[in-house]
Amino acid sequence: MIHQRLSSFPPNFLWGAASAAYQVEGAWNADGKGLSVWDVFTKIPGKTFKGSNGDVAVDHYHRFKEDIALMGDMGLKAYRFSVSWPRVYPRGRGEINEAGLRFYSALIDELLSHDIEPILTLYHWDVPQALMEEYGAWESRRIIEDFDNYCVTLYRRFGDRVRYWVSLNEQNYNLHHGFITSLHPPGVKDRKRFYEANHIAFLANARAIESFRQYVPTGSIGPSFAYSPAYPLTSHPDDVLACDNAEAFTNEWWLDVYCWGKYPQVPLRYLCERGLGPTIQEGDLELLQRGRPDFLGVNYYQTLTYEANPLDGVSEGTMNTTGQKGSGQETGIPGLYRTTRNPHVTTSNWDWAIDPVGLRVGLRRVTSRYRLPILITENGLGEFDVLDSDDTVNDEHRIAYLRSHVEQCRLAVTDGIDLIGYCVWSFTDVLSWLNGYQKRYGLVYVNRDETDQRDLRRARKRSFYWYRDLIRTNGQNM
Ligand code: NOJ
């Protein structure tokens, strides 16, 4: 679709930037915080790049005022952050840690005093270690109650000041790595356990949304989904079918449940016939129906391209966590699909496809299917950055990435997509989970690396000024 004239972004568009507690806060054991699974997992030798962890991260816990002042200077309209569950409930439930709540309360007030809309993520992967030890966290239905209790605490305390809430962040990505590749905690490789835990996470998500209606009736809530739209490598019908399989198993499996409250039929039958399907108890489907969101949060980084995969074909690949281009390997499910390189797009040093048009494709697909407003909860480029002697970073590569994606957002708005906001991942550089600190996403550079915390100084990158100008003109000046 080629448009002669482009629509403008809506007047109250949420130009934002995002972060997550474990990736920025540090203060891993300060002021009564309990352990999360990541506090423990990252200490196991060999799990992360150069053994990096979030003990200090970028010390946002102690520097949030400085960071928010930078956001104010940028003219940011929204800041998406996550609350660390074990900072609020050190043991997952029971006694509240008031000091933890005070931190988030002060953070929210500071944002509001700079006219920045807080977007609060309830869960960004840091489940309390206590619940992992007690009952296996997402593997037990007991978590539904505990998660709801934690969420209700936040609704009660912050529901008067926070209008936008994100429920579970990238449930698909996090549990895939927790139970299929074993790269995330709990480090398991078991498809049956994956689908069971994932079902319980759906129920917890729905229950938290159901409670939200009661406690924050005027607010908006939705999950943030790691969305990689599927492409077929060729028009060979077998590749098209493989792509269809991938779309159903890697996207619709989550999106249909979030937005419609039901599993897609074809993958459900396939999994049940193989004894892999989730255990659906009485009342589950009704709960999923009641827990539908107000908007869909989309974390978009790349499309994935698929081709047919025979029954004796590829299953496990490896992930590039070092930035050595080409070190990642293709992966797949025999008989369903395998990933392959798309010859029409370039890739980052971490082998992620750079495909801005894919964002427009994805926004159109989910709008056609679900008809919900969309908040882009994450989009950004993870790359090496160099701090120059004058304390700036010439991240033209990031500006090019962001510009091309914002352009596609504008085209999507012109197509008729109800897009309510766009959050750059990330505001400052962060700990990139398995990839250490060298895979940088920030608009603001943080002076540290995996082994040396240096002075944690903040330095505005070129992209900071580019985004500032974009926000000032509501997306006109790209
Ligand atoms: C999505 C996750 O939500 C975020 O935590 C992560 O750092 C980015 N992807 C980049 O990989």
Side-chain angles (χ1 to χ4, degrees):
M1 201 177 280
I2 299 176
H3 299 291
Q4 309 258 305
R5 281 193 27 213
L6 296 186
S7 307
S8 302
F9 286 98
N12 295 322
F13 195 74
L14 296 168
W15 294 106
S19 72
Y22 187 68
Q23 298 182 270
V24 295
E25 285 178 4
W28 69 287
N29 60 358
D31 302 333
K33 177 181 169 295
L35 293 177
S36 86
V37 291
W38 282 91
D39 289 315
V40 178
F41 188 77
T42 52
K43 311 285 164 50
I44 304 171
K47 293 292 184 194
T48 63
F49 180 69
K50 292 193 178 169
S52 48
N53 63 53
D55 284 2
V56 175
V58 298
D59 199 27
H60 183 60
Y61 187 79
H62 297 112
R63 297 170 195 238
F64 72 94
K65 289 196 175 164
E66 179 188 348
D67 289 340
I68 293 172
L70 282 165
M71 293 174 203
D73 177 30
M74 182 187 266
L76 210 62
K77 304 283 184 206
Y79 175 53
R80 173 180 172 232
F81 63 95
S82 81
V83 172
S84 157
W85 182 352
R87 199 179 283 293
V88 175
Y89 282 100
R91 302 207 49 79
R93 64 156 178 278
E95 210 176 320
I96 296 188
N97 178 33
E98 285 296 335
L101 284 172
R102 269 198 299 280
F103 167 69
Y104 294 109
S105 183
L107 179 86
I108 291 164
D109 286 344
E110 193 71 13
L111 289 168
L112 293 173
S113 75
H114 285 81
D115 287 327
I116 299 169
E117 186 83 50
I119 302 177
L120 189 157
T121 304
L122 292 160
Y123 180 71
H124 204 122
W125 307 354
D126 45 358
V127 72
Q129 174 68 14
L131 299 186
M132 181 61 81
E133 287 168 13
E134 197 178 332
Y135 53 69
W138 297 107
E139 292 198 83
S140 164
R141 284 182 178 240
R142 290 172 63 190
I143 201 167
I144 301 169
E145 197 63 45
D146 290 339
F147 184 62
D148 187 49
N149 172 59
Y150 154 70
C151 292
V152 167
T153 299
L154 300 188
Y155 300 156
R156 283 174 185 270
R157 300 293 182 102
F158 306 138
D160 58 336
R161 285 169 284 165
V162 178
R163 288 192 290 179
Y164 292 94
W165 299 68
V166 174
S167 49
L168 298 189
N169 176 71
E170 295 200 354
Q171 175 189 332
N172 57 327
Y173 188 86
N174 179 227
L175 294 182
H176 176 85
H177 287 303
F179 290 90
I180 304 283
T181 66
S182 81
L183 293 173
H184 285 190
V188 167
K189 283 190 187 185
D190 187 319
R191 296 194 87 75
K192 175 67 178 162
R193 284 169 69 183
F194 167 66
Y195 284 109
E196 293 290 10
N198 188 60
H199 182 64
I200 292 171
F202 277 142
L203 297 172
N205 182 73
R207 177 74 180 280
I209 292 181
E210 189 180 31
S211 296
F212 184 78
R213 305 279 170 240
Q214 188 186 338
Y215 291 95
V216 197
T218 56
S220 294
I221 190 165
S224 51
F225 178 69
Y227 186 31
S228 295
Y231 287 176
L233 178 64
T234 71
S235 55
H236 189 293
D238 290 347
D239 288 345
V240 174
L241 193 65
C243 173
D244 200 58
N245 288 335
E247 195 64 27
F249 279 85
T250 69
N251 292 323
E252 290 161 5
W253 187 260
W254 283 269
L255 293 172
D256 283 11
V257 176
Y258 289 142
C259 304
W260 288 341
K262 58 184 180 198
Y263 282 107
Q265 199 172 328
V266 171
L268 184 62
R269 181 189 168 95
Y270 171 99
L271 293 170
C272 289
E273 284 199 334
R274 286 161 180 76
L276 298 172
T279 307
I280 301 174
Q281 294 182 2
E282 215 187 306
D284 285 1
L285 297 177
E286 290 73 12
L287 174 58
L288 295 177
Q289 283 290 330
R290 295 196 301 274
R292 284 178 292 162
D294 300 300
F295 63 84
L296 184 64
V298 168
N299 290 0
Y300 176 82
Y301 291 89
Q302 57 173 336
T303 46
L304 289 172
T305 300
Y306 295 91
E307 61 183 337
N309 193 16
L311 282 175
D312 59 354
V314 171
S315 53
E316 280 184 46
T318 51
M319 193 165 151
N320 170 356
T321 58
T322 59
Q324 265 187 307
K325 203 168 179 154
S327 62
Q329 285 169 355
E330 311 304 359
T331 154
I333 301 182
L336 289 182
Y337 54 75
R338 57 169 286 171
T339 57
T340 186
R341 208 182 66 77
N342 181 343
H344 305 289
V345 301
T346 56
T347 53
S348 73
N349 278 312
W350 276 260
D351 299 324
W352 290 25
I354 298 178
D355 180 10
V357 176
L359 174 55
R360 183 178 177 195
V361 170
L363 294 174
R364 290 166 52 136
R365 279 189 195 167
V366 290
T367 294
S368 301
R369 202 168 163 96
Y370 308 110
R371 301 275 175 118
L372 281 172
I374 299 172
L375 173 62
I376 296 179
T377 31
E378 290 181 27
N379 175 239
L381 178 69
E383 265 306 338
F384 298 111
D385 282 326
V386 180
L387 185 64
D388 292 341
S389 50
D390 60 354
D391 235 22
T392 59
V393 175
N394 286 309
D395 58 343
E396 291 300 334
H397 47 296
R398 183 165 298 101
I399 294 174
Y401 179 99
L402 296 174
R403 178 188 290 125
S404 61
H405 285 74
V406 172
E407 273 166 7
Q408 294 300 319
C409 289
R410 186 154 180 209
L411 289 166
V413 168
T414 309
D415 292 337
I417 305 313
D418 185 2
L419 192 62
I420 59 176
Y422 171 90
C423 296
V424 173
W425 182 268
S426 47
F427 182 68
T428 60
D429 288 337
V430 303
L431 168 68
S432 197
W433 302 108
L434 307 177
N435 313 288
Y437 291 90
Q438 62 165 4
K439 190 182 186 193
R440 293 177 183 272
Y441 281 91
L443 301 165
V444 173
Y445 184 91
V446 178
N447 189 34
R448 70 155 297 166
D449 66 16
E450 287 75 22
T451 50
D452 187 352
Q453 283 162 32
R454 299 192 195 128
D455 57 6
L456 293 160
R457 189 170 78 251
R458 276 53 172 153
R460 296 167 179 82
K461 300 184 191 176
R462 271 255 168 97
S463 54
F464 177 101
Y465 299 104
W466 173 83
Y467 198 43
R468 179 163 79 175
D469 202 36
L470 184 89
I471 297 171
R472 195 181 47 77
T473 60
N474 197 29
Q476 296 287 332
N477 274 13
M478 295 207 200

